[in-house]
Amino acid sequence: MTVHQTASRILTYPGEYDNVIPEDISLAEYILNEIEKFGDDIYSTNSETKQNLTFSQIVNQTKALAAGLQIKFGVQPKENIAIVLPSCLEYPVAVLGVNYCGAAATLINPSQTISELKHAIKLTNPKVWIGTEEFSTKFHELFLNAAQRPPLIVLTNKADHPSTWAGLLAFGQGKPVRRPTINSKEDTALILFSSGTTGVPKGVSLTHANYIAARRQNVELTKNIPKNPEDLNTVMLPLYHTFGISSIFDNMVRGLRFILVPHFTFKNMLEAIQEYRISIMSVVPAIATQLVKQPVEQHYDLSSLRLLFSGAAALSKEIQAGLVEKFGCFVFQGYGMTESTLRTHSNFIGSSRDGSIGTVMPFCESIVVDPDTNRALGPNEEGEICVRGPLIMKGYIGDEEATRHTIDSQGWLHTGDIGYYDEDGFFFITDRMKELIKYKGLQVSPTELEQILLNHPEIMEAAVAPVPDEAAGELPRAYVVKLPGSTLTEDDVAKYVADKVSPHKRLRGGVVFIKSIPKTATGKILRRELKLSSKL
């Protein structure tokens, strides 16, 4: 797969910026160097417990955790450490502490099922796990043989666990940390999981250089914007999501205060905005839609909101306009993916266009190609959006074939999204080649659900396709062909899947029994036809 490119059709950031990326330094060391100057300023506040975390506490706890991991558990550079935590103040310390050892932080959704967790173990084989007391039940089920069970560091107030978070921090306090030798362009800093059309989540290997470049991007974008000490930030995505963890890091580097809403509900979010006078918020379109459609302004004082960033899925022009009209705030839509660390295109202050995902961002190049010929296209010609640069992942863990299919020989990452750019370099997404369903910004693989459905003894054929939903974006719906004589009901099928997947993958779009699945001559499911039928 080779892109037939023309230099003039490779788009870059339209402004000037310092493109230096520090080398041979870990992400954690880079961030700690940047935040030490903020000292005892409050970095984050838990909106429920009111507990605060200062910048100096992040520095001290990161180093204590790293020392504890090295001395007590023998953690070495390049080893994988699983972080299976809900959104909490300890999350960034866990990631940075693992990173400070030179190890890779493997971020896992704590609501994953046993089978999903086993897949993560197969890919990454973590040496040590960090989780909650609630997760320990799943952990023991994963490792039934206690003698072969890896260490689990538990966030708990109880003292009867062999390894607790507080105990490990106390053990590591004041002890020296062996500084690892880092090849920042090759060594993995974080592993995140991104669903794929092959049906199982892929482990995305992101290097120290990837994450440092993303932080440098944010610094360059905001260097001429004065920091307002009154600004309070929040993000409405879990911290194991690339949008969530990157927002945490970007706030850190700028010295901004972050309000953590640990148990997200729409009500909890609104209460936090009102109580703390949150001014800057990152959301997904599902949340943006609810803000517009519901009369929230009648029940909550949201007048502090002045800047909203939307990502993880496409935001409609209508919803964007509704946000501006209702709250009088700036709304900027951006674009990126786990495989590109975070942001490759975005609208920003002084450079914005309605309905667009924005221009190319610093530390990135972008091109649009014909999906059939890979020929580079010009303005207003629709094709696949590709990106390249220091933000692009190292590859998929244990899947060289998928990596080669995604990143070509010239370094272009093929996003699977169809779109175009206009004469001014603003990009627009019009469709998605990839078949992933996006439920509230979270990815759902149709193939994964189909494989589960086909394991049911009374299901002969199955296909999963999205149905549009105003609040959530898309909902997965199953189309099922039953075996003759089967008494299977729609509820039976939905429950069968729900018992085997994470909550966001459930068949919230319903189950439809049909006589046959539309397919191509080569047997590929025609999901486009199923999507069209859902709109009839």
Side-chain angles (χ1 to χ4, degrees), residues 105-159:
T106 302
L107 310 190
I108 299 176
N109 178 353
S111 69
Q112 282 192 346
T113 64
I114 294 298
S115 61
E116 291 169 330
L117 288 166
K118 285 181 177 178
H119 176 68
I121 292 170
K122 181 180 177 182
L123 288 179
T124 62
N125 189 29
K127 180 174 184 174
V128 178
W129 293 62
I130 302 174
T132 61
E133 191 170 10
E134 183 181 8
F135 174 71
S136 63
T137 303
K138 284 183 182 178
F139 184 73
H140 290 156
E141 190 176 343
L142 282 169
F143 301 99
L144 296 174
N145 186 338
Q148 298 178 354
R149 191 177 293 154
L152 172 65
I153 302 163
V154 182
L155 266 71
T156 180
N157 294 321
K158 299 179 182 178

Side-chain angles (χ1 to χ4, degrees), residues 462-509:
V464 174
V467 292
D469 182 81
E470 195 168 66
E474 294 177 335
L475 303 175
R477 173 180 289 178
Y479 297 84
V480 172
V481 179
K482 295 190 289 186
L483 284 174
S486 170
T487 59
L488 203 61
T489 67
E490 291 89 346
D491 287 344
D492 292 337
V493 175
K495 186 177 186 307
Y496 175 77
V497 171
D499 291 341
K500 293 175 172 57
V501 298
S502 302
H504 71 278
K505 298 179 184 178
R506 292 173 183 167
L507 297 173
R508 300 176 189 272

Side-chain angles (χ1 to χ4, degrees), residues 81-337:
I81 309 298
I83 298 175
V84 198
L85 294 173
S87 295
C88 57
L89 293 182
E90 294 84 356
Y91 207 107
V93 174
V95 174
L96 294 175
V98 167
N99 234 232
Y100 206 63
C101 300
T106 302
L107 310 190
I108 299 176
N109 178 353
S111 69
Q112 282 192 346
T113 64
I114 294 298
S115 61
E116 291 169 330
L117 288 166
K118 285 181 177 178
H119 176 68
I121 292 170
K122 181 180 177 182
L123 288 179
T124 62
N125 189 29
K127 180 174 184 174
V128 178
W129 293 62
I130 302 174
T132 61
E133 191 170 10
E134 183 181 8
F135 174 71
S136 63
T137 303
K138 284 183 182 178
F139 184 73
H140 290 156
E141 190 176 343
L142 282 169
F143 301 99
L144 296 174
N145 186 338
Q148 298 178 354
R149 191 177 293 154
L152 172 65
I153 302 163
V154 182
L155 266 71
T156 180
N157 294 321
K158 299 179 182 178
D160 57 349
H161 286 275
S163 298
T164 66
W165 175 267
L168 188 60
L169 290 184
F171 173 81
Q173 192 67 46
K175 292 184 172 65
V177 179
R178 296 189 308 277
R179 186 180 186 273
T181 300
I182 297 291
N183 182 337
S184 56
K185 293 181 179 179
E186 290 296 325
D187 293 348
T188 299
L190 278 80
I191 298 172
L192 281 73
F193 289 90
S194 176
S195 296
T197 53
T198 55
V200 292
K202 294 183 177 69
V204 178
S205 172
L206 295 163
T207 67
H208 295 273
N210 289 153
Y211 267 97
I212 293 172
R215 306 293 72 77
R216 288 281 301 114
Q217 181 193 85
N218 185 261
V219 168
E220 289 299 311
L221 286 171
T222 59
K223 63 185 178 183
N224 295 321
I225 302 174
K227 188 177 80 171
N228 183 348
E230 302 299 319
D231 273 336
L232 295 180
N233 291 245
T234 193
V235 61
M236 294 302 155
L237 270 175
L239 300 187
Y240 59 79
H241 191 284
T242 188
F243 197 175
I245 194 64
S246 284
S247 295
I248 285 280
F249 290 151
D250 283 343
N251 277 278
M252 270 189 195
V253 171
R254 287 208 74 205
L256 298 174
R257 188 177 172 190
F258 183 86
I259 305 300
L260 177 78
V261 183
H263 300 100
F264 175 77
T265 64
F266 195 58
K267 181 174 180 289
N268 287 349
M269 178 193 77
L270 296 171
E271 289 176 347
I273 296 170
Q274 177 174 266
E275 179 179 357
Y276 289 95
R277 307 293 295 164
I278 290 170
S279 52
I280 303 174
M281 184 165 69
S282 296
V283 298
V284 295
I287 295 172
T289 299
Q290 290 188 63
L291 285 170
V292 171
K293 297 291 183 180
Q294 295 191 28
V296 292
E297 72 283 359
Q298 298 177 17
H299 307 286
Y300 298 91
D301 179 4
L302 307 181
S303 60
S304 59
L305 288 175
R306 68 177 186 83
L307 194 59
L308 292 178
F309 289 99
S310 178
L315 181 70
S316 72
K317 292 173 69 173
E318 293 75 17
I319 294 300
Q320 182 173 347
L323 290 168
V324 173
E325 181 180 356
K326 179 178 278 194
F327 302 109
C329 60
F330 293 102
V331 180
F332 297 114
Q333 182 174 188
Y335 172 82
M337 53 199 304

Side-chain angles (χ1 to χ4, degrees), residues 12 174 195 260 380 432:
T12 58
S195 296
L260 177 78
N380 301 308
R432 195 154 67 234

